[in-house]
Every structure is written in structure tokens, then in C-alpha cells.
Amino acid sequence: MAFDVDEALLAAVNVFWAKGYDGASVKDLTEAMGINSPSLYGVFGDKRSLYLKAIERYASNDACAPLVAFETEPEIAAAVRAFMEAAIGYATEHESGARGCFLTSCVSTSAGEVEGVEPLLRQAIEETDARLAARFDKEKAKGCLPEDFPSLERAKLMFDLRQGHVFRARAGLERKSMTGDLDHRVRMVLA
Amino acid sequence: MAFDVDEALLAAVNVFWAKGYDGASVKDLTEAMGINSPSLYGVFGDKRSLYLKAIERYASNDACAPLVAFETEPEIAAAVRAFMEAAIGYATEHESGARGCFLTSCVSTSAGEVEGVEPLLRQAIEETDARLAARFDKEKAKGCLPEDFPSLERAKLMFDLRQGHVFRARAGLERKSMTGDLDHRVRMVLA
DNA sequence: GGCATTTTGTAATGAACACTACAAAAAAAT
DNA sequence: ATTTTTTTGTAGTGTTCATTACAAAATGCC
């Protein structure tokens, strides 16, 4: 039976997320993916290529969940809050059991060692910044935010705050230790 | 000649920082440390024990540089800014060439896999939060901040903002892309 | 100076690593 | 139905891994 490539790739994300690139063996990967190593090499190329594909998949899907929350909530302050809450929830209660964020908590480690990783990280950051800023620009066009509202800087601010939550979650801190100041943070973003 | 244990440990930090725990071989470590493997095992125990000691050393020394900047600057707003600038500088221009922060960019990855790491990370975070909060409490006692100023929450905010810069630095983004909004961030920390 | 300890230098150990080979079975394509 | 492609299942390859052994040299301690 031909295996479901996307399902296998998602399984690979979860292994890399739990163990990092060097800590995840091809045996770990093939077991989680439910395929044999010749199939892994046949379809994905090699371990590093699989890793790059895993990063791309994560960056274009999972990492976007808080973005989607931000984009779909109609009122902007509620949208900022939704982003933060989604990010915290995602980092503390992922269905795979992994904590933090694959990109920040694992892929970062290999940025200087595995060729091709750093550009992907940079791209993911820049695209997230841009996507967050685009929502702010929409609010400005509607007159809900001032014309001189610094969309990109506030987008970066939201992204940076998320990284703090991610690190805390990875270190095992409780969700509720991260939710006490969200009102202030939302105000900070929209000030 | 007996080797300098602290110098060797610092060299180990730099290797682990560049390659992560699994990516750093004992050969890499002994070469950088300038000792032979029986000495590494004799003095430090084994690779994992060395790693834990490297984390502790980093957490009690290097990770503290922005804290020291925050604690030594007499005026509180300038102190907050000094923290941010020191954190950015540290993450982008470390003398070893490493980018980001050892704890966030590398140690995080092994949090769920290497026994003993997660408690150290948690401790480092909590101690940093407390140390930042202590400076705020001092300012409150002096009457420079309001009595109801939420020291711990703002300490956490500063720490979380730092994580954003750390991730960007690790991904290779330029220092100047991170410094455009510091005024706003300082204001929000003290609001 | 003599003895004890540490370090060097080197080699070895057993296991694990990423990746490939290949025949048979299964699935997909025609 | 036949042919082609993919996958399974298994084993093998050469290298690397963390760690230990051990003799000789160097250093530290009394």
C-alpha cells in the first residue's frame, strides 16, 4: 500500500520536535512514520531533506494556528488576544505531547549546522511578521487603527512575545503562569 | 599539567551552543576543551554530566549579562533599555560567534530527552524572572514606581521580549531589524 | 626526593549511525 | 491481464558514537 506522504511527514515533524534533528534517528523516524527506510529515502531523499520538508510543512501549517486565530477574530483587540491565547495553548497542549514550538525549540539548534535551515527559519519569521502586519494594515484601512500605527513593529512585538511563552512552555512551566498579564500585553500591542 | 576546569567548561558551553547536545561529539568537546577523553570523564563524569554543568555555568554567568546591565544602570527606564540592548548585543555578537542564547536556542531541544535539563531550564527562567522583579521592587521602595506596579509580570514581559530577539538572532536576522521599537517596549514595560 | 594523583596518548569495545542493496510482495498504471 | 513502479522486509556497509582500559609522562602533595 502506498503510504500517505503528508501523514508520514507530520509524524516526522513530531519526532524531530521531540528529539531534535541529531537526536532523531532514522529508525525513530521510520517507526513513527510507519514506513521502511528505503521508502523514506525513495520519497524524501535523505534525513536532511526530510527535515527541511518537515520544517516547511510545519511553518506553513501548524505554526500558523495562532495566525489564523488573529486573522479570523473580527475585533482587533480580541484578535490580538486570540493570537496570544492560541500560541500559549499550542505551546502547552499540543496533541502530540510536544511542548513549545518546533521552530524555536528544536529547529533553532540546527540553524548553524544543517545546511538550508537558517534561510527557512528566517523566511518563517519574516512571513509571520508580514502576515501579522497585514491584519493591522487592514484595520488601518478601515479606520480602526490610526494611520500612523506601526504595523510591522507591532507585528514583531506580537511575535516576540510569543517566543517567551514558547520557551516557558518548553521548560515545562504551567499555562496559567503565562496568562496573568495578557490584558497589558494586548494594550501594549495596540498602543 | 592540570587543565583549567572553568576554561574547559566554557569551551564546552561554546561547542554545545553551536551544535546542540546530540550534535556535539565527545571528540568535538575534547578538542575544543584541549583535553583527552579520560580527563573529561575523570573530571566531569560523562557527556551528560558535562552538559548539565555547562548549562549551570551558562545560566549563572553568561545569561546574566543583560541582568547585570539592568541592575547597574541607576535610572529605571534606562535600565530596562540597557537590558534589551545587552540582550540583543549578546544574541547577535557573541565572542564565540554563536548566535541566540544557549538555553533557548540549544538546551530547549534536549529538555524532554536529556534527564535533568528541564528542571535547570525552569530554574533559570524563574530565577531570571525573580531577579528582574527584584529591581522593580527596589524602585517601588524608592518611590520611583507606583506601589501597585506589577513587578513580576513586567519582569516576565522583559524576559519574554528577550526571547523574541534571541530567536531572530539565531535565525540570522540583523541586529538593526530588532532595535526599531525599543522606545515603545521600554514604555510598555514601565506602564 | 619520593609517592600519589592526574593527565596524556593511544587503542579498544560494543553499539548505533545514515544509507544502500536486493528479492519478494503489493500497488499502480496501462 | 500484464507491466511497471513502489513498498516491504531484511540484511549489510563503513563510519562514528560514548565510554573504558592502560602504560607512560607529568604534576601535585607531603
Side-chain angles (χ1 to χ4, degrees):
Chain A
M1 139 153 38
F3 66 94
D4 184 305
V5 173
D6 198 59
E7 270 187 25
L9 192 54
L10 179 58
V13 167
N14 292 335
V15 174
F16 283 129
W17 190 348
K19 301 188 170 197
Y21 178 72
D22 292 305
S25 66
V26 170
K27 183 183 169 199
D28 294 328
L29 290 161
T30 53
E31 279 175 359
M33 294 160 88
I35 59 173
N36 290 294
S37 85
S39 298
L40 184 151
Y41 288 94
V43 171
F44 296 105
D46 62 3
K47 185 183 174 187
R48 178 178 148 265
S49 299
L50 172 64
Y51 187 57
L52 296 181
K53 289 178 174 63
I55 293 168
E56 284 171 321
R57 188 195 182 286
Y58 181 89
S60 59
N61 286 272
D62 295 44
C64 296
L67 291 182
V68 171
F70 182 60
E71 290 163 341
T72 51
E73 177 63 51
E75 197 274 312
I76 190 63
V80 173
R81 190 181 187 98
F83 174 82
M84 292 177 182
E85 287 178 344
I88 293 171
Y90 195 79
T92 54
E93 291 164 7
H94 191 253
E95 66 193 357
S96 73
R99 305 235 344 157
C101 153
F102 177 45
L103 300 184
T104 313
S105 307
C106 300
V107 179
S108 278
T109 299
S110 52
E113 287 290 306
V114 181
E115 193 182 344
V117 167
E118 195 195 81
L120 289 183
L121 276 190
R122 176 188 284 245
Q123 185 182 342
I125 291 171
E126 286 168 349
E127 285 178 356
T128 305
D129 286 343
R131 196 163 156 183
L132 292 169
R135 171 67 201 264
F136 287 134
D137 285 339
K138 266 174 123 174
E139 293 297 312
K140 279 155 73 178
K142 283 159 54 181
C144 299
L145 288 176
E147 277 190 23
D148 64 347
F149 185 82
S151 301
L152 186 60
E153 286 298 343
R154 295 299 190 276
K156 287 180 180 178
L157 176 56
M158 283 175 69
F159 183 87
D160 290 356
L161 290 170
R162 180 182 180 187
Q163 302 318 307
H165 291 142
V166 162
F167 186 37
R168 292 172 189 277
R170 187 71 177 180
L173 275 82
E174 293 299 313
R175 178 181 189 144
K176 71 179 186 238
S177 75
M178 301 180 221
T179 52
D181 207 25
L182 291 191
D183 288 342
H184 177 73
R185 293 182 182 204
V186 171
R187 279 194 303 270
M188 179 183 176
V189 166
L190 296 175
Chain B
M1 142 161 20
F3 64 93
D4 184 306
V5 173
D6 198 59
E7 269 187 25
L9 193 53
L10 179 57
V13 167
N14 291 335
V15 174
F16 283 130
W17 190 347
K19 300 190 172 197
Y21 178 72
D22 293 305
S25 67
V26 168
K27 184 183 170 203
D28 294 328
L29 290 161
T30 52
E31 279 175 358
M33 295 162 85
I35 60 173
N36 289 292
S37 85
S39 297
L40 184 151
Y41 287 93
V43 172
F44 296 105
D46 63 3
K47 183 181 175 187
R48 178 177 150 266
S49 300
L50 172 65
Y51 187 56
L52 296 181
K53 288 177 174 65
I55 294 168
E56 285 172 319
R57 188 195 181 287
Y58 180 88
S60 58
N61 285 272
D62 294 43
C64 296
L67 290 183
V68 170
F70 181 60
E71 289 163 341
T72 50
E73 177 63 50
E75 197 273 314
I76 189 62
V80 173
R81 191 181 186 97
F83 174 82
M84 291 176 186
E85 286 179 344
I88 294 172
Y90 195 79
T92 54
E93 292 165 3
H94 190 255
E95 65 192 357
S96 73
R99 307 236 344 160
C101 153
F102 177 46
L103 300 185
T104 314
S105 307
C106 300
V107 180
S108 278
T109 299
S110 52
E113 287 291 303
V114 182
E115 192 182 348
V117 166
E118 195 194 82
L120 289 183
L121 276 189
R122 177 188 281 249
Q123 187 182 338
I125 292 170
E126 286 169 348
E127 285 178 356
T128 305
D129 285 344
R131 197 164 155 181
L132 292 169
R135 170 65 199 266
F136 287 134
D137 285 338
K138 268 177 94 182
E139 294 297 313
K140 280 155 75 177
K142 283 160 54 180
C144 299
L145 287 175
E147 276 190 23
D148 64 347
F149 184 82
S151 301
L152 187 59
E153 287 298 342
R154 296 297 192 279
K156 287 180 181 177
L157 176 57
M158 283 176 67
F159 182 86
D160 291 355
L161 290 170
R162 181 181 179 185
Q163 301 318 308
H165 291 142
V166 162
F167 186 37
R168 291 172 190 276
R170 187 70 178 183
L173 274 81
E174 293 299 311
R175 178 180 189 144
K176 71 174 184 242
S177 75
M178 300 180 223
T179 52
D181 207 25
L182 292 192
D183 288 343
H184 176 72
R185 293 182 184 204
V186 171
R187 275 196 303 274
M188 288 300 110
V189 166
L190 297 175

